[in-house]
Amino acid sequence: MNIIVWLLASMILCDGLPAIGLSTNATGRPKVVNIGAIFSSKSVIGKAAKVAIDAAIDDVNSHPDILQGTQLKLQLKDSNYSGFMAIVEALLFMEKDTVAIIGPQSSVTAHVISHIANVLQVPLLSFSSTDPTLSPIQFPFFVRTSQNDLYQMAAIAEIIDHYEWTEVIAIYEDDDHGRNGIAALGDKLAERRCRITYKARLSPEPTQEEITDVLVRVALRESRILVVHVPGSWGLKVFSVAQYLGMLGSGYVWIASNWLSTVLDTNSPLSQDAMDDIQGVVTLRMYTPDSELKRRFVSRWSNLTKGKPIGLNAYSLYAYDTVWLLARALNELFNKGGNISFSNDSLSSELSEGNLHLDALSVFQGGNLLLDNILNVNMKGVTGDFRFSNDRNLINPAFELINVIGTGYRRIGYWSNHSGLSIVPPETLWGRPPNGSSTSQTIHGVVWPGQTTQKPRGWVFSNSGRHLKIGVPHRVSYREFVSVRGPDAITGYCIDVFTAALNLLPYAVPYKLIPFGDGRTNPSGTELVRLITAGEFDAAIGDIAIITNRTKMADFTQPYIESGLVVVAPVWRKNSNAFAFLRPFTGRMWAVTAIFFLLVGTVVWILEHRMNDEFRGPPRQQVVTLLWFSFSTWFFAHRENTVTGLGRVVLIIWLFVVFIINSSYTASLTSILTVQQLTSPIKGIGTLIATKDPIGYQQGSFARNYLIEELKIDPSRLVALNSPEECAKALKDGPHKGGVAAMVDDRAYIELFLSTRCEFSIVGQEFTKNGWGFAFQRDSPLAVDMSTAILKLSDNGDLQRIHDKWLLRRACSYQGAKMDVDRLQLKSFWGLFLICGLACLIALFMYLLKMVRQFSRHYSEESEFQNSRSTRIQTFFSFVDEKEEDVKSRSKRRQLERVSNRTDDGSNGTGYSIRRNIDEFASNKSIGTPTASSEV
């Protein structure tokens, strides 16, 4: 490509001489600055852009403050849709000291001319070359002054994801612009787990026959989501052919990139036939916010076009702002002391050899400074805020979403990289935090092709006549689920569920059931799912459990039967015995309960002993009273009354605990004595792991991998069993006769297995949770529709009726029996015991404080000369054991004696009267109350 460029340059510029400078005006600035423009003036974009650029040149030259006397001189070259001519014209500009080029219009041409711009350091400002691969790293002098196609493709991907479509067909022009745009769309779709399933390429100037051939191939595909990324010059021909082929009816979704909105804006109104061809199509338009500048420019447009039928499109607005951008950058160049000069010194030494005269090419000396000024411009134009981001794209990229309806179109929403899809203008959301949540994004309703407002499904089954190849496991055992009697005679529970779900779909599904397996052993469900990934099957149905490694290979429907791994082991009846009444509680529970009976009885005795005569008496009587009171509370049969507040609180709490324990014991004992009990040495998967005995599993089941990988069981312990008969024999023989201790399998199989084999039972809990579903290829829309159909089967009861038809069996006589009942353990009641224990401790503590306080007062009155600690302790215990009434009467007598002693020095009559009162009080107490010496 570079060789071609330089050959062209040599032919054109071999006679030209580089200018060294330009004439200046009074301010030292050049009088005229030459700028070039390259685009096809008769194209949809070009004819409107020419009007906008001419208007911008006039506005800049008439503005006194922009270039301050310097005039912009525009040299317009019409490439006439030719990339070759655009290259030639770009080189011709160099003869006239051109400082910048506006254009080219085509991204394909921009790739080539950007190489020239890099060497000659002439900025290339394109308002229509939107190819995302025109990178500023590779082409530093290329400046895109409109929106990057990368954002447009992100908007299209957002629309597709919003409607939950996953597969897209891309129709595009096979050139740099088309290929690179669709590649960007593929990347954006992949971020949302969507994909392009088919790329329909069209030549840059396709004939109607070529378009017809391509669209016929598209119609044979399953996807009905079509994205059209072609030039506006012939884009309508695609829709004309599609209309002829009947591809604009119900079920289709057509999304056109912004070429269609440009055609609608520029050539409006279109003919009725053209409008009929695009009914229901969704297209995008580069969004420019409303402003006073934009309104004034729009109002001038009819005058600028001078009656010509040229509508204002978004590219025209960006073309207008491009001229102003260049003018402001030139003004900044002059303000910094820069000038307009060219030189070929840097090229003459390298290009002087040969006869091609390549040394005639000149380099713009101020190109780098002008480029920096362009990238640093910050202005308000007719397109809104106009400045570049760090990646040299325009800030705030946004698009309008347009739906073609009737004789016109209507806006259905917006997209911006800041807030995604919305129904409010993007500038109202720029001040808010970015919104990446798909749930809060919305657009208005769309009228789709076929005049329907219902969201199209987005896909159909291929019209190629190919049936879905559905793999079905060729089972040897449990044929109630899947039974293969021949290629066209496949029945069973799973097959009935599948066909019932298919009947609920709003469309027909051509399919063919293909048995998988040799018919001698049960096939592996994981291998069957893997063959879907390999492309041998389109789907798989049957007893396929939904487990983690399988979901990585295929998409599964909603489970149609719940299941999970369980342990099956031999069981036998457990007969009752003379000590069955002890079985509800464990030994530890019995021991702790007995201890608390004694503890609570002792605490109550301590609290009641000083005040309650029922808790006093000889030592033997008190021991009997304590034991009787303690254990009689089990039956709420205690006859002793409590008189102290602390004693009553402790007793109430203990009676509540006894009530709970008594109720639990009664319920457990009732279950033991009335329900048939089964027992087994295997209590569940934990017991099975702890032993070294063999474990059985069904051939082809995922249970083997689970036991090895998740539970770390040695593979040598696992025994494959191929039929229910083999399973029953292995369980009966047991590990000591070449059998197995237990078997691990899906609950769905086990329930069928146990329906006729009462000597076995499920032991322990189900230790995995999964279900069975139908597997489809990744991102298959049929998986979603089948899931919805399965839910409908469940809601209307058909799923249960199918289950009863195939799997309902007479219950085994042991089905009402229970495995050995778990005995009630201490851990179930430790909270109650803790509460009761704390109540006892608090009551004893409060009682002790009361006793210490009373004893301190009594000791200070009667024991002033008793200094021995042992004596004081003995006295304290005697004090505690003494009845409270005796202590109070003795204390009162001592007080009267002290009063009597203090009055001994007084009159004899008064002293004699007091002593007589004391004697009478003591005599009355000795008659009415037993002495303390008669009690313990």
Side-chain angles (χ1 to χ4, degrees), residues 5 9 45 54 71 177 216 230 279 290 316 346 354 360 363 375 440 448 465 491 600 702 716 718 776 789 864 930:
V5 171
I45 294 176
D54 289 340
Q71 296 290 304
H177 177 251
V216 167
V230 296
Q279 289 298 302
D290 188 32
S316 305
S346 60
V363 178
L375 297 177
S440 60
W448 304 103
T491 59
V600 172
F702 74 95
S716 62
L718 303 179
F776 293 88
E864 297 177 358

Side-chain angles (χ1 to χ4, degrees), residues 541-745:
I541 65 173
D543 50 336
I544 304 173
I546 305 173
I547 56 177
T548 303
N549 63 333
R550 294 176 184 174
T551 59
K552 296 177 181 178
M553 296 185 286
D555 284 348
F556 281 84
T557 63
Q558 173 82 11
Y560 59 87
I561 184 172
E562 296 296 330
S563 189
L565 291 180
V566 294
V567 178
V568 177
V571 295
W572 55 88
R573 295 182 183 180
K574 186 169 185 179
N575 297 323
S576 183
N577 55 53
F579 296 96
F581 67 92
L582 295 176
R583 285 173 55 193
F585 288 165
T586 61
R588 182 176 296 181
M589 179 65 183
W590 278 118
V592 172
T593 303
I595 290 172
F596 262 82
F597 272 113
L598 294 175
L599 174 64
V600 172
T602 302
V603 170
V604 172
W605 178 84
I606 292 173
L607 298 175
E608 295 289 326
H609 178 66
R610 299 189 74 234
M611 300 184 65
N612 194 339
D613 290 337
E614 293 183 357
F615 289 88
R616 301 184 65 83
R620 182 175 180 180
Q621 178 183 345
Q622 293 189 49
V623 170
V624 172
T625 301
L626 188 149
L627 294 174
W628 164 257
F629 178 82
S630 298
F631 291 102
S632 63
T633 54
W634 175 272
F635 309 101
F636 304 97
H638 53 286
R639 60 170 179 255
E640 292 79 10
N641 295 320
T642 53
V643 297
T644 64
L646 292 176
R648 289 174 177 174
V649 171
V650 170
L651 184 60
I652 289 174
I653 294 175
W654 173 240
L655 291 178
F656 174 73
V657 174
V658 168
F659 175 77
I660 299 298
I661 295 175
N662 198 6
S663 300
S664 302
Y665 174 85
T666 303
S668 181
L669 183 61
T670 301
S671 177
I672 291 172
L673 296 179
T674 58
V675 179
Q676 185 179 9
Q677 303 296 311
L678 303 177
T679 186
S680 172
I682 305 298
K683 304 299 182 184
I685 189 63
T687 307
L688 204 56
I689 294 173
T691 66
K692 300 297 181 182
D693 295 332
I695 303 171
Y697 69 93
Q698 185 183 176
Q699 178 72 42
S701 171
F702 74 95
R704 172 183 170 82
N705 290 338
Y706 184 86
L707 294 174
I708 295 174
E709 296 172 4
E710 301 296 333
L711 302 183
K712 310 302 180 185
I713 294 177
D714 194 325
S716 62
R717 294 179 57 194
L718 303 179
V719 179
L721 303 171
N722 205 41
S723 67
E725 292 73 20
E726 286 186 25
C727 297
K729 183 178 183 304
L731 289 171
K732 288 179 180 178
D733 291 344
H736 303 297
K737 295 182 180 180
V740 296
M743 178 179 175
V744 175
D745 207 350

Side-chain angles (χ1 to χ4, degrees), residues 163-395:
Y163 287 104
E164 300 178 342
W165 297 315
T166 57
E167 296 184 348
V168 176
I169 292 177
I171 303 172
Y172 63 98
E173 181 184 27
D174 192 14
D175 62 2
D176 289 343
H177 177 251
R179 285 191 300 270
N180 296 332
I182 294 303
L185 175 62
D187 293 339
K188 294 301 180 180
L189 288 172
E191 294 175 3
R192 296 161 175 82
R193 289 197 63 186
C194 305
R195 64 191 179 105
I196 299 175
T197 58
Y198 182 66
K199 295 181 178 180
R201 298 175 295 177
L202 292 167
S203 63
E205 295 181 1
T207 63
Q208 184 167 344
E209 289 75 15
E210 180 185 350
I211 296 174
T212 302
D213 291 342
V214 168
L215 291 185
V216 167
R217 290 195 294 271
V218 167
L220 295 176
R221 298 283 170 171
E222 295 181 356
S223 177
R224 286 295 181 260
I225 311 301
L226 310 179
V227 176
V228 184
H229 185 52
V230 296
S233 57
W234 51 267
L236 290 178
K237 292 169 61 178
V238 174
F239 287 103
S240 176
V241 174
Q243 182 73 277
Y244 175 77
L245 296 176
M247 298 177 63
L248 282 162
S250 297
Y252 281 91
V253 174
W254 289 83
I255 301 176
S257 54
N258 63 343
W259 68 265
L260 180 56
S261 64
T262 304
V263 171
L264 289 170
D265 291 337
T266 308
N267 297 336
S268 181
L270 296 178
S271 66
Q272 186 60 49
D273 289 341
M275 291 301 298
D276 291 342
D277 292 341
I278 56 176
Q279 289 298 302
V281 176
V282 173
T283 184
L284 290 81
R285 176 198 286 151
M286 289 184 289
Y287 175 70
T288 55
D290 188 32
S291 65
E292 183 61 31
L293 284 174
K294 181 180 177 180
R295 287 193 293 270
R296 287 204 300 265
F297 184 73
V298 171
S299 65
R300 293 171 53 195
W301 187 254
S302 60
N303 294 329
L304 294 174
T305 56
K306 299 176 181 179
K308 297 179 181 179
I310 301 175
L312 176 64
N313 59 51
Y315 287 108
S316 305
L317 299 175
Y318 281 103
Y320 182 85
D321 278 350
T322 300
V323 176
W324 278 91
L325 168 71
L326 181 57
R328 292 180 184 277
L330 285 169
N331 183 58
E332 188 64 21
L333 174 70
F334 298 146
N335 288 340
K336 293 180 180 179
N339 57 17
I340 306 299
S341 62
F342 295 83
S343 172
N344 64 352
D345 293 341
S346 60
L347 298 175
S348 60
S349 61
E350 300 178 6
L351 306 176
S352 60
E353 296 181 2
N355 297 321
L356 297 178
H357 301 287
L358 297 178
D359 55 343
L361 294 174
S362 59
V363 178
F364 177 31
Q365 298 299 301
N368 281 303
L369 182 58
L370 178 59
L371 177 64
D372 291 340
N373 291 337
I374 289 172
L375 297 177
N376 291 322
V377 166
N378 185 359
M379 70 177 194
K380 285 188 177 296
V382 295
T383 59
D385 290 336
F386 201 100
R387 66 178 186 271
F388 295 95
S389 61
N390 293 332
D391 58 1
R392 289 177 56 166
N393 286 314
L394 291 179
I395 64 168

